Amino acid sequence: MSKRIIKPVAPRLHFTKAHVEGFTRWLRGSGYTETSTVETIRLLAGWADWMHKHRFGPDTILAGLEASNNAFKGKKSIRRYASVGRLFVRYLQEQNVLPPPRSSPTPAERWPVIAVFRTWARQHRGMADTTLDLWQRCIVDLLETLGDDPDAYSALALRAFMLERAKRYKIGRLKTYAVATRGFLRFLIATGRCPSGREYAVPTIADWKLATVPKYLVAEDIERAIAACDGERRLRDRAIVLLLARLGLRASETANLKITDIDWKNGRLAVFAGKSRRAEWLPLTQEVGDAIVAYLEKTRPRLRTPRLFLTEFAPLRPITRITIKCIVRRTLHRAGIESPHRGAHVLRHSAATAMLRHGVSLTGVGAVLRHRSPDMTMHYAKVDFGLLSEIAQPWVGRLPC
């Protein structure tokens, strides 16, 4: 029986054949396989027939796209027609055949002071974009509630703002609000927009300092998680899990790693942090190095980008910290690990705990984790009562009779 050769079907659109051929080349350049490219063009033909049947042409293609989103509902096989339509429209917009999509104004466009604050925080405070993104949600809430006139930020108004949030959020979220609000007020003070001392109007969030025990996985669970990344298909996931669990990298640090950050000759890895964004070198163990080499040689897509870790499926692009969290969650589920803590940070905590239990000093653990304050490293001493002697203070009261 001869094998049937499937050829791309040209969709019946009011665009030229060159647009469809260009879209096909764009798909291949984005990492789509030949089979996926053919299937995408087939779905595009079905979507284009629907557009033609409902009298949507080049001038009304965006309205037709919105209508098709409502029409192609139900099973995944049906929704894919509208998905391919959106992909084709995106391609046409990138080629300037269609106008770029209208997007709602960003917070920085709505409030220009946010853009100025982010630039100031990066230059003078050395803050990372991930932290600023987290703060921005709180600052937007502040601006929506009190307005963008710093004269309205009285001590009474700021306290009322925080007390109202205390009714809605838990302590962790409330602490973020307090830190972000104070940071924004310090920027306003430094740039002469707000009177000095106004940041002290933000109330302190009552909570016992370092009261909780670090969230971590036992050594057996870590080994099960690493073993769950077996096979050539999961070489990328194995390298990521090892970087988190052995070296204690954060999710954002792992996602932003570049191939040039690895010093193979001296067996070390550069992590950029701090106000100056200087390189902080960590030892690259044989286990972690072998996992990265295996990923680079066997499964990493050939994409012209310095970033180390890329998505597995088209469109190919560097992964984000959210992707790292999803990889860890899937790995723990696949390994059958029952834990209420399933984020990427639990592996960082586990790395610190493992180092302490193998005799590494608190100072050494703090150096590997790149803690700015020793108090953060002392948090991990609570996982082993023998380690508490390093930070325990003598009892000043009277002994019982």
Side-chain angles (χ1 to χ4, degrees):
M1 183 176 178
S2 61
K3 185 177 179 181
R4 186 166 61 94
I5 299 176
I6 302 176
K7 296 182 179 180
V9 179
R12 186 168 58 179
L13 267 177
H14 294 288
F15 292 97
T16 65
K17 183 180 178 181
H19 289 131
V20 179
E21 293 175 347
F23 180 58
T24 304
R25 291 192 297 270
W26 182 78
L27 291 173
R28 291 168 178 155
S30 298
Y32 284 77
T33 64
E34 193 62 30
T35 303
S36 297
T37 301
V38 172
E39 177 65 9
T40 302
I41 297 300
R42 184 189 71 80
L43 293 169
L44 179 63
W47 178 78
D49 286 343
W50 183 92
M51 294 280 287
H52 180 77
K53 179 180 178 180
H54 290 81
R55 300 182 182 279
F56 289 108
D59 296 335
T60 58
I61 189 172
L62 296 179
L65 176 63
E66 185 175 351
S68 69
N69 290 333
N70 297 323
F72 292 99
K73 289 184 177 181
K75 296 181 180 180
K76 183 178 180 181
S77 58
I78 301 299
R79 298 197 307 270
R80 290 175 65 191
Y81 286 96
S83 298
V84 169
R86 290 193 295 271
L87 191 64
F88 183 62
V89 168
R90 174 183 159 192
Y91 161 75
L92 294 176
Q93 289 171 335
E94 289 187 5
Q95 303 300 314
N96 295 321
V97 178
L98 292 176
R102 293 181 181 179
S103 57
S104 56
T106 64
E109 292 171 343
R110 187 178 175 186
W111 294 287
V113 69
I114 290 182
V116 180
F117 165 69
R118 292 180 68 107
T119 302
W120 178 86
R122 282 191 293 263
Q123 291 179 350
H124 299 284
R125 306 289 293 180
M127 295 183 63
D129 285 330
T130 51
T131 304
L132 291 173
D133 291 339
L134 183 64
W135 283 22
Q136 183 170 287
R137 302 171 194 169
C138 307
I139 296 171
V140 166
D141 191 6
L142 177 71
L143 293 171
E144 289 178 338
T145 305
L146 301 182
D148 57 359
D149 184 7
D151 292 336
Y153 302 163
S154 64
L156 183 63
L158 290 170
R159 290 195 189 99
F161 172 78
M162 289 300 301
L163 290 174
E164 182 62 29
R165 272 71 199 157
K167 300 175 184 178
R168 308 179 191 175
Y169 306 125
K170 295 181 179 180
I171 287 180
R173 180 77 179 277
L174 201 58
K175 281 186 173 181
T176 302
Y177 259 87
V179 173
T181 304
R182 287 195 200 97
F184 184 62
L185 289 171
R186 291 190 182 104
F187 153 73
L188 296 177
I189 293 169
T191 54
R193 293 175 169 87
C194 195
S196 179
R198 190 57 53 84
E199 74 273 22
Y200 297 113
V202 180
T204 302
I205 308 304
D207 188 25
W208 288 102
K209 185 178 181 182
L210 304 179
T212 59
V213 175
K215 307 173 183 66
Y216 67 96
L217 301 176
V218 297
E220 293 78 8
D221 285 343
I222 293 295
E223 297 305 321
R224 285 168 57 194
I226 296 172
C229 299
D230 58 340
E232 189 168 306
R233 273 192 66 247
R234 299 194 176 99
L235 289 177
R236 182 200 64 175
D237 295 1
R238 178 181 175 84
I240 288 173
V241 170
L242 285 172
L243 284 168
L244 297 169
R246 300 296 196 224
L247 301 184
L249 266 64
R250 299 178 178 90
S252 58
E253 294 169 344
T254 305
N256 292 327
L257 272 179
K258 299 178 181 177
I259 299 176
T260 54
D261 292 337
I262 304 175
D263 183 359
W264 298 104
K265 183 178 181 180
N266 296 302
R268 57 181 186 170
L269 178 74
V271 178
F272 292 86
K275 294 181 180 180
S276 62
R277 292 292 182 265
R278 66 183 184 279
E280 297 187 9
W281 294 96
L282 296 178
L284 184 66
T285 64
Q286 189 69 43
E287 181 186 27
V288 178
D290 289 343
I292 295 176
V293 169
Y295 167 65
L296 288 173
E297 291 182 345
K298 297 180 180 180
T299 61
R300 183 182 184 273
R302 297 185 180 277
L303 190 66
R304 294 178 64 87
T305 175
R307 295 273 286 277
L308 176 59
F309 295 113
L310 308 176
T311 56
E312 294 180 327
F313 304 105
L316 299 177
R317 59 191 181 276
I319 64 174
T320 65
R321 64 185 182 91
I322 302 300
T323 308
I324 298 287
K325 294 180 180 181
C326 293
I327 289 172
V328 173
R329 190 177 296 112
R330 290 198 305 264
T331 300
L332 297 182
H333 176 75
R334 193 165 56 248
I337 297 173
E338 298 293 336
S339 172
H341 315 296
R342 309 181 72 80
H345 217 66
V346 73
L347 297 184
R348 177 176 168 86
H349 290 322
S350 302
T353 304
M355 283 187 281
L356 286 170
R357 287 184 168 170
H358 281 83
V360 181
S361 66
L362 285 170
T363 303
V365 173
V368 173
L369 299 184
R370 304 169 308 286
H371 284 157
R372 294 184 179 181
S373 170
D375 290 342
M376 290 302 299
T377 314
M378 290 179 183
H379 189 40
Y380 294 98
K382 289 183 289 185
V383 301
D384 192 331
F385 289 108
L387 297 170
L388 292 174
S389 59
E390 295 189 31
I391 59 174
Q393 300 296 318
W395 174 249
V396 295
R398 295 178 59 186
L399 294 175
C401 299

